[in-house]
Amino acid sequence: MNRNVVFTFFLFCFVTICRGSGTDIALDAKATLLHRIDSLNLLIYTCLLTLTVLTIWVFKHRRVSWLHETGLAVIYGLIVGAIIRYAGSTNHITHINVNPEPGTTYNLSVPPDMLRFHFPASLPITPGDSPIANKTYAYSFRGEIVNVEQNEIDLKATFDPEIFFNIILPPIIFHAGYCLKRKYFFRNLGAILTFAMVGTALSALVIGALMYGCVQLMPASLASSFTFLDTLYFGALISPTDPLTVLAIFSQLKVDVNLYAMIFGESVLNDAVALVLSGAIQNYETRYSHDGGFEISGFLGAIGDFIGIFSLSLLVGALMGCLTALMTKFTHVRDWPLLESALFVLMSYAAFLIAEVCELTGVVAVLFCGICQAHYTYNNLSSDSRNRTKQLFELLNFLAENFIFTYIGVSMFTFPKHHFDPWFIIAGFITSMLGRAVNIYPLSFLLNLGRKPPIPVNFQHMLFFSGLRGAMSFALAIRNTVSEARQAMLTTTSMIVIATVVLQGGAATHALDYLRIPTGQGSNEESEALPYRDDTPRGGGDAGGGQKARLARVWGALDSRLLKPLLTHARPPLTETLPAFMRPVARLLTTTHQYTQGDNTLRRTDSDSDLCIDDPQIPSSIDPQQLWPGLVDTRISVEGITGSNI
Amino acid sequence: MNRNVVFTFFLFCFVTICRGSGTDIALDAKATLLHRIDSLNLLIYTCLLTLTVLTIWVFKHRRVSWLHETGLAVIYGLIVGAIIRYAGSTNHITHINVNPEPGTTYNLSVPPDMLRFHFPASLPITPGDSPIANKTYAYSFRGEIVNVEQNEIDLKATFDPEIFFNIILPPIIFHAGYCLKRKYFFRNLGAILTFAMVGTALSALVIGALMYGCVQLMPASLASSFTFLDTLYFGALISPTDPLTVLAIFSQLKVDVNLYAMIFGESVLNDAVALVLSGAIQNYETRYSHDGGFEISGFLGAIGDFIGIFSLSLLVGALMGCLTALMTKFTHVRDWPLLESALFVLMSYAAFLIAEVCELTGVVAVLFCGICQAHYTYNNLSSDSRNRTKQLFELLNFLAENFIFTYIGVSMFTFPKHHFDPWFIIAGFITSMLGRAVNIYPLSFLLNLGRKPPIPVNFQHMLFFSGLRGAMSFALAIRNTVSEARQAMLTTTSMIVIATVVLQGGAATHALDYLRIPTGQGSNEESEALPYRDDTPRGGGDAGGGQKARLARVWGALDSRLLKPLLTHARPPLTETLPAFMRPVARLLTTTHQYTQGDNTLRRTDSDSDLCIDDPQIPSSIDPQQLWPGLVDTRISVEGITGSNI
C-alpha cells in the first residue's frame, strides 16, 4: 500500500527528528506530522469523491439506473474504509496512564475538561542530552476509551461529528429549501404536513416501543443498557427519510409531479421534525426524568419543547430570510453581485448559527430561511447573483451529500465507537420498515377521507418504498456515542442507511414499473433543475385547486398583498394595499421601482408567482380587516393621511 | 453584553444538568455546550463578515477610497476582539493536575500524545447519589500552558492554525493563479521572478540579520531565546507581500497594466517563495544544525531543500492541472456541468493535498494548478462550468480573505499565545521596511541595466509602497507558537499586518497622486474582472515585445504546438505538429472536434491565446528538433507512418 509507505516514511522522519535536541523542535515536528495526517485524510475523501464523480459520469453516459451516485459513494467508502482498517497502520501514538496529583479535589460526577501534565513529571531534570524545559502541557477531553488498540489513523480518518451539523448539513438542507418546488408543495401541503409531522412522530413512537420490546427479549447485557428513552431516541433518529436516489430517478423518468412533491416535501420536513423530536427526547431525559419513569408533567414539557423549538426555529429562519430580502431591496448592493452573493450566503449561515446559539435547531431555521430566500430575496437579486447562489448551493449540496455518504461507508470500518449487535441490527431493520408502514398507510387512509382526488394505492406503496434513510439519521446517530447503547444505535443506523440507499435506491426504477406508476409526465426534470422558472402545465392528478382551505387563501392574499410588496419589488405597491392611515409607512417601504414598473413586467419574472396568481380562488382585493383584525380597534386613534376612515 | 447573558444561561443550564444523575447525561450536556460555543464563535465571525460586506457596500456606494475592505475587516475584528477580551466570560473549564501512574516509563524528549485518565481515579466508587461507571477517558495533547488564567472562550474564539493552511489559504492562492493576467505576467516575467525569488530571499536575509543584531541589543531575557535561525525565520515570514488594497485601487483607477502585473505577479509568487523558504529554514533547524552553529553542508542542504520542494510542488500542481485538462478533454463530462465543476474543484484541492502529503508545499502546488487550470482546462469547460468555477472561486476568495483579516483583528486580543515586546515590535517594523527597500531598489537598478524601457523611479517607489503584509505572513506566524520567540514573532507580525493594511492601504490613492503615476489607462478593471477575455490594447510602457528571450519563445512554441493541442481542443491538431513517426499517438490524442472546427473559431474564444499568438517573433512552423532534441537519435529506429524521415 502506498499509504503505508507514506506512513512508514513519516514514522521514520518522526523518529529521526525526535533525535534532535530540544522539546520545541520535537513539538514542531509533531505539529508537522499531524498536519500531514490531516491532509492525508482529506486527500482520501477528495480522491473518493473524484472517483465518484467520474463513475457517475460513466453511469449517466451509459444510462445506468440501478445505482445512484449516493449508493456509489457509500460503496466506494466501504471499500476504502475496509482497506484502511485491515491494511494496518504503523503509526502508533504515545500515551501514558495518569493519576490526579495527591490532594486534588474535583467534581465526581463528570470527568474534568482538561488535564494539566507537568513534564517531566516530578522527575529531576536530567542534565546533558535531554535538556527539557520544565513545562506544563494541557490535554483536552476527548472521550471514553472503548478500544485500547486504536491508533492515530483510526482516530483521524474520522471527523468530529460537529462538522456534520456545522458544515455538511446546512448547505444540504438550505438547498432543499431553496429549490423546493413551491407550487406543488403548497398544493399538497396537507398531505405533506400530515406525513412529516404526525407520521414521523407516530413512526418514532412505534419504532421506539417495538425496539424496547425486542431489547427486553435479548441477552441481559444489552437489555440493561437500554432505557425506553434510548429506544425512543432511536425511533426518532431512524424515522426521517432521505429519498435522494428515488427523486433522482423520478426527475429522470418524469414521474407525476404531485407524487414527487409529496415525497420531496415530506423528506425535507421530516428531517426537521426528527431533529427537533430527538432533541426533545434528550431534553426529557436530562430535565424531567429524575427516576427514569414516566411523568405526565415531563411528557407535556417535552411536547412543549418540541412545539416551542420547532416554531421558534422556523421563526428565526424566516426572519433572517426576510431581513435579507429587506437588505437586498433597500440597498443597492445588487450593483456589486459579489457583495450581494456574499451577503446572501452569510445571512443564511447566520440564521443557522443564531438558532444553534439560542438552543434552537439550526437545520430547521436554515430550511425555512432557504424557503424565504427563494420566495422573497431571490426576486431582488441581480441576475448574476441568482445564478451564482443557485449554482453555488447546487455544487455545495452535491459535494456535501456525496461526502456524507462516502463518510458513512468509510466510518463503518474506521470509526472506533461501533458496537455490532446482530439482534439489535435485525430488530432495527424490521422495526424501521414497520415504522414507515405505520406512517404511510393509516395516514393515507385518513387523508383520503377528506381528499379529492385521493392518494391511489400504488402511490402509497411508492411512498412506503421511498423511505430510504440518509444523512440526517446518520448525523444524529454519530453525534453522540458515549454509551454502549448509543454505539449500537450508530452501527444499526449506518447499516440501515447503507442497505436502503444501495438496495432500495437501486430497485426504484423496477418499483415504478411494478407499481405501474405513470412516467413521462410533462417536463418535470427541467422545471426541477430550474425551480425558479416553473412554467410547466399543471400535472395529472391535481390535488389542489378546489381543495384550497381558507387558511391557505388568507395566507396567499397576505403574501401577495403585504409580504411580497414589502420584501420585494413586486406590484402592487404597499401604498395601494395598506389601509389609508398607514400610507406614510407604506411610502417609506415602497421603492420608486415599484411605482414606475408596469404591472406585468415583474410578474413574468417573479420566481414563485405560481404560488397564488394562477389561482382563481384568490380575491383580487381583500378586506384589510381580514389581514389586520387586531388593528381595527386602534385605527380610530391613529391619524390617517387621507382621514377617510375616521 | 448579550454574549454574557447567553453564557450565563449556558452555565446555568450546565450546572442544572450536572445535578442530573449519570455520567452519560452529563457528558451529553457537555457535548451540547461545546457545540453552542462553537456556533457562537462562528456566529461572531459571520456577523463580522456581514457587517464588513454592508460597510463595503456603503463605502463603494459613496466612493470612499481611504479604507479598503480588508482594512475594514481588520478594524471590525480588533473592536470585537477587544470586547470579547475585556467583557470577561464566566465560563470556566474544569481542570486538574495529574501525575503519571507509578512505574510508568515514557520517552523523556517529548510529551506523550495522549493521557489516559481512569475515572474516578484510584478512589472507591461512592455508592448512592454518584453512580459513576468505572471508566477510562482519553485526553489529547493540546499545547503548552502559557497563561494559567485562560478560559474556554479565549481558547475557542480562536481556531486551529491548521484551518488556514487547509481551508482558508488554498482558495485564495488558487484564485490568484486562476485569474492571473497571463499576458502581462509573461511580458514582465523577468522582473517578477527577480523580485519574487531573489528579492524575497534577499529581504529575508537582511531582515533576519538586522533583527538578530537588534535582539542582541535587547534585555537578556529576550535575547537568549532567539537564535539566528529564529530571526531568519521571522525574515522569511515577514517578506511576502499581499497588496490587496493597493491592487483594488489600481483596478479602480486603471493604473498602468505593467505596474499592476509586476505587483500582482510578485505578490502571488513571493507568497509561494516565502512559504518554501520558511520551511527550508525549519528543516535546516531540525535536520542539519546539531549545535546551532553554521555548517556549510547544512546550508547547501537547505538550499537544495528549497529548490527541490519548490520545483516538485510546482510539478505536482501543474500535473494535476494538466490531468484535469485531459479528463475534461477526453470525457463528455461537460454535458453535466455540475459534475464537471465538482471534478474541477476536487482535482484542484487534491493537488494541494497531494503536495502536503508528500512533504511538499500545497500552496505552491495549488498556485501552479490554478495557472494550468486557467491556461488549459478552462478552454475545455462548458460555458456553464466556466462561469460557475470563476464565480465560485471569486466568492470563496472574498469570504476567505475577509475572514482571515477579521481573524487577525480578533486574535490580536483573544489568542492566548501573544507575547508583547515593544523593542521587538519596533525593530520588526523598521527592519521589514528596510527589507522591502533592499528588495526593490537594488534589484530594479540591476534589472534596468538590461531592460528597455526601464522601470521608472516612481514605479520603484510604488513597488516599495505596495509592500503590505498580509494573510501569508500571519498564517506562517500563527502556525507555530510553541516558544516565547515564536510568540513574539506572531505579535509583531500581526501588528505589522494591521498597520500596513490599514495605513499604507488607506494612503495608496494619495501615494499614486504624489508619485504622479498615470491613471485611467485602458479598460484595466474590466479585463481584470474577466481575465479570460483579455482583449485590451497593449498598455503604455510596454516592456515585452522585442525583449522576449529565447527561452520564452521556445516555451511559447511548445505551448501552442504541443501542449495546447494535447490538453485542449485547440488547433492545430497534434497530427499536424507532431513528427510523422508519432502519428498513431497523435491521432489517439486528437478529438474529432479538433479536426472539424475552423482554424479561427477557437482562437477567438481561447482564454489566453494572448500569450503567444499576438507575438510576431514566434515562428509559424517550428523545427521538431527544437522541441525533442533527445528524440533525434531514436527516430531512425521507429517505424514512421509516412516513413519519409528514414
Side-chain angles (χ1 to χ4, degrees), chain A residues 521-584:
Chain A
Q521 294 207 344
S523 59
N524 187 36
E525 187 181 16
E526 168 67 10
S527 58
E528 202 52 33
L530 299 164
Y532 310 103
R533 283 189 303 158
D534 189 351
D535 45 9
T536 45
R538 292 198 187 183
D542 195 323
Q547 307 303 317
K548 208 171 265 282
R550 187 180 156 76
L551 188 71
R553 253 184 296 148
V554 172
W555 163 253
L558 183 72
D559 185 57
S560 67
R561 297 183 63 79
L562 177 66
L563 295 177
K564 276 274 176 80
L566 174 64
L567 299 171
T568 72
H569 297 288
R571 301 267 301 170
L574 284 177
T575 41
E576 290 175 19
T577 55
L578 278 186
F581 70 95
M582 288 182 79
R583 285 279 149 80

Side-chain angles (χ1 to χ4, degrees), chain A residues 444-458:
Chain A
S444 299
F445 176 76
L446 289 177
L447 280 168
N448 280 347
L449 292 181
R451 193 183 151 100
K452 272 193 229 90
I455 304 170
V457 179
N458 59 348

Side-chain angles (χ1 to χ4, degrees), chain B residues 2-48:
Chain B
N2 188 27
R3 202 177 51 73
N4 271 328
V5 174
V6 173
F7 264 106
T8 317
F9 181 62
F10 284 157
L11 189 70
F12 173 74
C13 295
F14 187 59
V15 170
T16 315
I17 288 161
C18 286
R19 279 195 220 116
S21 59
T23 311
D24 288 353
I25 292 172
L27 284 177
D28 276 16
K30 184 180 280 186
T32 312
L33 177 72
L34 288 178
H35 177 69
R36 297 256 150 72
I37 294 176
D38 278 345
S39 304
L40 186 63
N41 285 316
L42 287 171
L43 182 62
I44 290 171
Y45 287 102
T46 310
C47 291
L48 274 171

Side-chain angles (χ1 to χ4, degrees), chain B residues 556-594:
Chain B
L558 183 73
D559 185 58
S560 67
R561 297 182 65 80
L562 177 67
L563 295 177
K564 275 276 175 80
L566 173 64
L567 299 171
T568 72
H569 296 289
R571 300 267 301 170
L574 283 178
T575 41
E576 290 175 20
T577 56
L578 278 186
F581 71 94
M582 288 183 80
R583 285 280 149 79
V585 183
R587 240 169 248 165
L588 209 68
L589 295 173
T590 306
T591 55
T592 45
H593 187 56
Q594 270 172 302

